[in-house]
Amino acid sequence: MAPTPAVHAQYRLSAADRMRLEKLEDSLKFFAYTLVNGRDEQIRKQANDAFIPHLVNALKIRGSFYYPFDSLRQISILYAPDSSFRIFTWQFPRAFGSYRYYGAIQMNTRDGHLKLFPLFDNSEFTYHLDDTITGPRGWIGCIYYRLIETHFRNQKYYTLFGFNGNSLLSNKKILEPLTFPHGEPVFGSPIFSFANDSIPGADRNRFVLEYKKDGDAGLNYDDELKMIVYDELVPLHNEPEKKYTYVPDGNYEGFVWKNGKWVHVTKVFPDNQGPTPIPLPIDFSKKNLIPKDSTEEN
């Protein structure tokens, strides 16, 4: 079991407010299911448009940061390991196999009042993801399935692992740092280093894997190896410009954290032997992701 993050806030969720949140969660559960599974786009859009204000109203309840919303299976909710914030993300299926992404960051405030940063999907209009640094209004939309925390010289970096159902032909896995340099979220930072490669490359603000729709490329943090591990990809027909044809070739690359950078490793298992990295389903289970219940003692 993952260790429970420390709780820093002084405010504790009351029993009465917990009951209010339980009632509100029933409505949210219906809208969350429908916005993904509704029979047509109009019904899904209506559910999504209803879900957002209902969620905000629930989060306005003092101390809501400690309510896990366990029944919202279609919504990813990840807590920072230091319990300083949590991030909600979900995808809205549109017609013709495309998606729009929605999200919000809820900060953990000492008085229990809501501090929320809505995230606005700008991925359709962002053409150089590797080089982009954005705020909440320029967010590269995706569903986050993992969040890890690293440190360097009093700076915290929260590395997010995301999935984006890019098009009918390809998916993307997105690896990006989140920081709060002035109290507000910033996505992207030049911490992905390729300086040790045989042909050194420039640092990147974000790392993106694009691959064939059914290619099932993996990207995750391996707790035993203490590194990020991902599938090495190759084009099926020797056409490297066609990212939608890329599939795993059985080898693994990765990143290790050194001196404030995620440093690229070209071969995780040089002899092609070793444990297979953890597969990467998008798991919306909230187990072991929430901080200690605020009604309990520290």
Side-chain angles (χ1 to χ4, degrees):
M1 177 180 290
T4 302
V7 175
H8 301 295
Q10 296 175 344
Y11 187 80
R12 295 181 180 277
L13 180 64
S14 70
D17 284 338
R18 178 175 289 278
M19 291 182 64
R20 290 175 61 198
L21 284 163
E22 288 173 353
K23 292 179 179 179
L24 290 170
E25 187 177 11
D26 288 338
S27 297
L28 288 168
K29 180 180 177 180
F30 168 77
F31 293 131
Y33 179 84
T34 306
L35 72 86
V36 171
N37 299 292
R39 68 176 181 271
D40 58 47
E41 184 173 353
Q42 181 178 359
I43 289 175
R44 295 194 298 271
K45 185 177 186 303
Q46 290 172 345
N48 189 64
D49 290 347
F51 177 82
I52 293 170
H54 277 74
L55 176 63
V56 173
N57 286 335
L59 296 180
K60 285 180 179 178
I61 294 176
R62 196 176 180 192
S64 66
F65 183 86
Y66 294 99
Y67 188 80
F69 295 101
D70 277 331
S71 69
L72 306 185
R73 309 302 298 177
Q74 294 74 27
I75 312 299
S76 169
I77 307 175
L78 300 179
Y79 281 81
D82 62 4
S83 235
S84 59
F85 69 92
R86 65 176 172 177
I87 186 166
F88 298 76
T89 52
W90 67 94
Q91 64 182 9
F92 165 63
R94 298 186 294 190
F96 309 111
S98 64
Y99 297 90
R100 185 164 182 81
Y101 291 86
Y102 293 82
I105 296 175
Q106 182 184 15
M107 306 304 294
N108 186 3
T109 59
R110 286 191 171 275
D111 62 3
H113 287 110
L114 179 62
K115 183 176 182 180
L116 192 70
F117 294 102
L119 304 178
F120 299 91
D121 183 2
N122 198 48
S123 55
E124 288 184 78
F125 310 103
T126 307
Y127 302 105
H128 301 286
L129 300 187
D130 293 352
D131 300 329
T132 301
I133 296 177
T134 74
R137 300 198 68 85
W139 177 55
I140 309 303
C142 59
I143 296 180
Y144 294 123
Y145 56 88
R146 185 79 185 265
L147 188 165
I148 61 175
E149 179 183 334
T150 53
H151 306 82
F152 183 70
R153 292 182 178 174
N154 299 320
Q155 172 70 58
K156 289 184 180 182
Y157 296 90
Y158 304 97
T159 301
L160 296 161
F161 297 71
F163 169 85
N164 179 292
N166 183 53
S167 69
L168 283 172
L169 298 176
S170 70
N171 291 326
K172 290 180 178 178
K173 292 281 179 69
I174 298 173
L175 187 64
E176 64 181 345
L178 170 62
T179 55
F180 295 83
H182 303 291
E184 296 195 358
V186 173
F187 296 91
S189 180
I191 63 171
F192 295 101
S193 172
F194 296 82
N196 291 344
D197 286 10
S198 57
I199 302 177
D203 290 354
R204 301 181 194 176
N205 293 310
R206 185 178 285 100
F207 179 73
V208 180
L209 285 181
E210 184 175 356
Y211 56 95
K212 193 172 182 290
K213 198 69 177 179
D214 58 356
D216 195 25
L219 172 68
N220 211 336
Y221 185 78
D222 189 296
D223 293 292
E224 292 187 5
L225 296 175
K226 298 189 183 302
M227 66 185 302
I228 295 168
V229 177
Y230 65 92
D231 279 298
E232 181 177 278
L233 302 179
V234 294
L236 278 174
H237 309 296
N238 198 29
E239 297 176 288
E241 71 281 0
K242 296 181 178 180
K243 297 296 184 182
Y244 59 86
T245 69
Y246 276 58
V247 295
D249 69 355
N251 296 309
Y252 299 97
E253 301 180 52
F255 293 96
V256 293
W257 183 253
K258 292 182 180 179
N259 299 321
K261 300 273 189 179
W262 283 114
V263 179
H264 184 232
V265 177
T266 55
K267 292 289 183 182
V268 174
F269 307 115
D271 58 357
N272 211 22
Q273 300 295 319
T276 301
I278 301 171
L280 304 172
I282 297 176
D283 181 7
F284 297 118
S285 172
K286 312 304 185 299
K287 292 180 180 179
N288 299 330
L289 294 178
I290 63 172
K292 185 184 296 182
D293 191 319
S294 63
T295 60
E296 299 177 358
E297 293 299 322
N298 290 337

